[in-house]
Amino acid sequence: RILIIGEKPAASMKEYMALATLKERESAPIAVEASVKEVKEDFEIMYQDTLKLIALAEEAQDPITADMFTGYASEFHKNLWMMRAYLA
């Protein structure tokens, strides 16, 4: 989608890491419940970032991108509900 709207996407791991909003986790054993909690925290960040992208797309009068990200937001929302239920 980035190319379609005439922008240049990140193309290297260095660029991706500089743009990332999620924190990289140390490679170490982790319990199942702690793992679900960490994934939930990451999904919360991705959900919030997705809502911001929807707003930006709407401001730019780009309904196609807004619609794409609305679908992503719906999936994040559903998965967050399942993880919250699991952790309750």
Side-chain angles (χ1 to χ4, degrees):
R1 184 73 189 142
I2 293 172
L3 291 172
I4 291 171
I5 62 174
E7 298 297 326
K8 181 181 174 196
S12 71
M13 188 57 69
K14 183 178 180 178
E15 289 175 294
Y16 293 133
M17 295 306 289
L19 295 168
T21 56
L22 302 179
K23 304 284 187 266
E24 188 172 12
R25 189 183 175 285
E26 293 291 323
S27 181
I30 185 171
V32 172
E33 192 162 314
S35 178
V36 172
K37 184 179 177 195
E38 285 196 25
V39 171
K40 181 184 77 67
E41 290 168 0
D42 287 348
F43 270 55
E44 287 170 345
I45 292 168
M46 292 186 292
Y47 177 66
Q48 292 303 316
D49 286 349
T50 300
L51 295 179
K52 291 174 189 172
L53 286 166
I54 293 166
L56 289 170
E58 288 172 346
E59 286 175 25
Q61 298 181 347
D62 182 354
I64 297 168
T65 300
D67 183 59
M68 282 175 49
F69 279 89
T70 298
Y72 300 151
S74 176
E75 288 299 313
F76 286 133
H77 194 259
K78 177 183 72 175
N79 284 290
L80 282 164
W81 171 78
M82 289 189 286
M83 286 182 267
R84 287 181 187 123
Y86 174 83
L87 293 169

